[in-house]
Amino acid sequence: MPDPHDPHTFDLARVGAGLPAAALIEELSLVEAAPFPRVVVEAPPGTGKTTVVPPMIAEHVAWFSEGSAGAELPGRIIVTQPRRMAARAAARRLASLTGTRLGEVVGFTVRRESRTTTATRIEFVTTGVLLSRLLRDPELTGVAAVILDEVHERQLDTDLAFAMCRELADLREDLAVVIMSATLDARLWAARLGDGPQAPATLLSVAAETHPLEIRWAPAKERPLDARGVTWDFLDHLAATTVRAVEENATGDVLAFAPGAREVDEVASRVRRRVESGGRSGAGLGSDSAAIEVHTLTGRTPAKEQDAILRPIDPGSAGVGRNRRVIVSTSVAESALTIHGVRIVVDSGLSRGPRLDTRRRMSGLVTMRESKASGTQRSGRAARQGPGVAYRCMSESDWASLPEHTPPEIATSDLTSAVLALAVWGGDEDLLPEPLPAGPKRQAIDNLVALGAVEADHVTQTGRAIAAIPASVWSARGLLDGAALLDPARAAEAIAVIESDQRAPGADLSALLRHLRRSKDTRFAQDRRRFASIAREFASSGDGGDTGDDGRAGGIADRGELTRVSGTSLTPEDLGLVTALSYPLQIARLRSASDSEYLLASGTAASLPRDSSLQGSPWLAIAEVGLAGSRAIIRSAVSIDVDTAELAGAGLLHTVETATFESGRVRAVRRSRLGGIELTSTPIQAGPELARRAIAASVRERGAREVLRPSEAFESLRARLGLLRAIYGGPWPEVTWEHLSATLDQWCPDAPDRIAKGSDPARVDLVSALRGLLPWPEAVRLDELVPTHIEVPSGSHVRLEYSDPDLIEPRAATGADDESRADDESAAASQRTEIPSPILAVKLQECFGWTDVPRICDGRVPVTMHLLSPARRPLAVTTDLASFWANAYAHVRAENRGRYPKHPWPEDPLNAPAARGTKRSGR
């Protein structure tokens, strides 16, 4: 047995026997690595890197440590794993190979469980445990090396740990940092871990022994996902494919991948029924069906059951064939674990991962199609220890359409905890493998401000307390506030329920509380004691008491407004309070005409599962929301009353007075709200300022034209000014409705006030207000430049019709010389716009003898003539009268002289007198 007091503890030859990763031992010595090296290890699954590298690094560090025999032992080697199950399994495996008991030379620490002693040289931990230690002890006192395993999974905690350890390695010359992965861009990571591409970290790699792998395609008839998640039909198909895999392969255990714990349980149940009934055909399994054991493997599986599944099978323990297993698992078995005996994999093609919906300010786990990288990892499980076969529940074309890689969690997750950890750490955020996305980071900062965890540019005492609590930031804040309102014991039990790995039956946290108490769940009991100890610690130190100005419940308790006293046992009401304190934005009220649809204080909607006993509850405090497509599904919640909702959501309570302007009237309402939930609504009389804002808002939304209902005189003046603006540019005002709407308070400041006092918008003097925009002294030429009427040869004064300024479209620049345009603004204006001519609609007979069309704007704009019949029907449109008389008139005369015989139709219109009336009238 190795002596834990000997710095050279590990027999590397024994540890690496039969493992491809043993080649790394010699490779490390050949590269002449530094005493405390930075190393990137690239090794495929099944090579034994997690077993070999930690003792290899421990021995390397021991050889180069200062001192001689009897000197102080070298520091501990910390090895991270992405999951608790993997940390425990790796520690047990290495302890077994070293011939020591678990917890002596080799140990592990995961949430709720630790097996270490002061003599432990190698400690396997989850990445979250390492992050907590880094925040508590930024120097990692007593640690000689950190090994980050399974970096390719790009979990958020792993990215954070990498950045912190990378920075710490710059500050501590006596700290080795190693990153390992089955599939990573090794050279890129070597540059990240080293000092850039010019001075990368040491790169070690090993090849795996490959075994034949056969792929079989097993697509389902229907789509696997609908609006509510995985369909029952697809789970039936996955179970049937699993049983088929058992029937078609005489030996080997089956590992079936389902996306989540619920689906794992459902598939396992279906497989058991099919196995008990004899398989697909009723005869395929025969008498062997009794020898097939069906297991589930998820993060919620008890540790003893996990260990039993992962422990190598002794074939002789129960006779040949008696230990064949079907293991239905989530992605926990995808990469970090080796399950001995597996030769067959059934892949659902689905995975579950975190997704943040920034628009709805909601995050949750989402079921989606896996990536090719994930599918390859899963299939490879079948060929780790020998030839294998993988069944993929999709077609080859479906596989071809899958994304190549799973996006890193940093790009898809809620970053609130990550941003807080980085703020407490206070280091270089640029060392992250990739930057935090701007939108989610900004939302995370908003969340932390609301939690009272950060202020301006620093972390508050409350923020440091939250970061030190081994729970989500929301639950941590709920623990602090709940302890202040209730007591540490009851608050701790509530948080233990919220943070439990167990699924709430029908999404009901109260039912989960009853189940955890009845089952005497050891994890629940440990969490309850641990959270109670933390709450008492912060309560006695006062570190968790400050709430800033966010108006949360801690401040209410401090002011003595409310403290609940209901004995020592946590009641459903207490559970509801702590849940609401933890997640105030997820306080929800039942929507009218529904038993399952709820509106959250965040302003988004979510629905209860069909089987939930909470349906119809007027108010809920929601702890977890899942996303299924575009739908938000409540995963765990507890019923509360309105008083609890208003207490826990005190910081979200506000009263607003709003007004709208419709049909010429201002209507105002006073609403009290809890975030996005309306509590009361009362009609009120709008004050002048509120009415003014309502009218201004209506103008912005609908436009001033619709709101003010301008007169014909106003529109005529606006049209004339629009033409002047188009021809001359400034100083003539811009009069498009978009501009007039945006500047109403400037050119007609009295309009909103008069309308607010009850005046009819149509009676507001807009013409005078518009005239106030006319430039001086150019205004005196208004009627000369853009006359309202034109005198025609008959002596009539005919009204000119100008185009709406909104219809004058900008046109492309003509390429004229810039200097000439600067010298002549009017020329530039005419080049920039297509200017429709004003229209003069006049009877043809009134224009006899007229050869030139009139022109306005100092002769720059010709008038378009609309020549009308005596009945004022259009006969011709022209801007060239001389051409019309010479060419088109004869045809017009021939068609109309018989139709209008009382009116003159001379053969020579140029020499005929213009006439307003008939031949007889002589006018």
Side-chain angles (χ1 to χ4, degrees), residues 515-528:
H515 168 74
L516 292 171
R517 284 173 169 172
R518 283 196 305 267
S519 64
K520 302 187 184 305
D521 186 277
T522 55
R523 289 185 179 181
F524 173 63
Q526 291 170 358
D527 279 353
R528 187 175 54 194

Side-chain angles (χ1 to χ4, degrees), residues 438-506:
K441 179 182 177 181
R442 188 163 50 249
Q443 182 171 310
I445 294 172
D446 291 343
N447 290 339
L448 292 172
V449 170
L451 286 167
V454 298
E455 290 179 359
D457 58 349
H458 71 280
V459 183
T460 65
Q461 284 297 103
T462 296
R464 295 187 182 280
I466 289 173
I469 296 174
S472 73
V473 293
W474 312 103
S475 293
R477 183 67 209 243
L479 177 64
L480 299 177
D481 289 345
L485 278 173
L486 302 171
D487 57 60
R490 280 183 288 164
E493 186 171 20
I495 295 300
V497 175
I498 294 171
E499 291 284 306
S500 172
D501 290 336
Q502 300 279 346
R503 192 166 60 247

Side-chain angles (χ1 to χ4, degrees), residues 560-783:
E561 293 181 13
L562 175 62
T563 302
R564 293 193 176 187
V565 179
S566 58
T568 59
S569 179
L570 180 74
T571 66
E573 292 76 15
D574 296 336
L575 177 60
L577 173 62
V578 176
T579 304
L581 290 170
S582 300
Y583 299 92
L585 287 173
Q586 293 182 180
I587 296 171
R589 189 174 72 176
L590 185 66
R591 283 185 153 169
S592 59
S594 174
D595 287 331
S596 60
E597 296 289 333
Y598 285 80
L599 177 64
L600 279 62
S602 63
T604 58
S607 58
L608 283 167
R610 298 188 185 95
D611 61 344
S612 177
S613 61
L614 295 174
Q615 290 202 5
S617 300
W619 288 86
L620 294 178
I622 301 173
E624 182 184 357
V625 179
L627 301 176
S630 61
R631 295 174 58 87
I633 307 298
I634 300 170
R635 301 296 187 198
S636 62
V638 59
S639 179
I640 58 175
D641 57 29
V642 65
D643 292 335
T644 300
E646 293 183 6
L647 169 66
L652 302 174
L653 288 173
H654 62 285
T655 300
V656 294
E657 293 182 352
T658 60
T660 58
F661 180 73
E662 298 174 356
S663 304
R665 294 186 58 189
V666 176
R667 293 176 172 84
V669 177
R670 178 183 293 116
R671 292 181 172 88
S672 68
R673 308 181 70 89
L674 194 159
I677 301 172
E678 183 178 296
L679 301 175
T680 61
S681 177
T682 308
I684 59 172
Q685 181 68 37
E689 181 58 30
L690 184 60
R692 183 182 176 88
R693 289 201 305 266
I695 295 165
S698 183
V699 168
R700 286 193 301 270
E701 294 170 6
R702 298 157 54 198
R705 186 179 214 163
E706 184 178 344
V707 173
L708 301 178
R709 305 202 304 274
S711 64
E712 184 178 344
F714 177 89
E715 288 289 18
S716 174
L717 177 59
R718 189 179 77 89
R720 293 161 67 200
L721 293 177
L723 181 59
L724 289 172
R725 174 79 176 189
I727 296 297
Y728 297 101
W732 297 101
E734 182 179 350
V735 289
T736 61
W737 273 116
E738 180 181 5
H739 181 75
L740 292 178
S741 298
T743 60
L744 178 63
D745 59 339
Q746 300 173 27
W747 65 274
C748 190
D750 293 338
D753 289 334
R754 293 190 60 185
I755 297 172
K757 293 176 181 177
S759 295
D760 184 347
R763 303 187 66 177
V764 177
D765 187 3
L766 299 177
V767 175
S768 296
L770 188 59
R771 283 189 175 275
L773 296 177
L774 296 180
W776 187 262
E778 289 84 353
V780 298
R781 299 190 62 204
L782 175 65
D783 292 337

Side-chain angles (χ1 to χ4, degrees), residues 129-152:
V129 168
L130 175 60
L131 281 179
S132 296
R133 290 184 182 176
L134 282 164
L135 297 182
R136 187 171 61 249
D137 176 16
E139 295 183 1
L140 282 185
T141 306
V143 174
V146 175
I147 302 174
L148 303 176
D149 201 1
E150 306 300 342
V151 176
H152 71 276

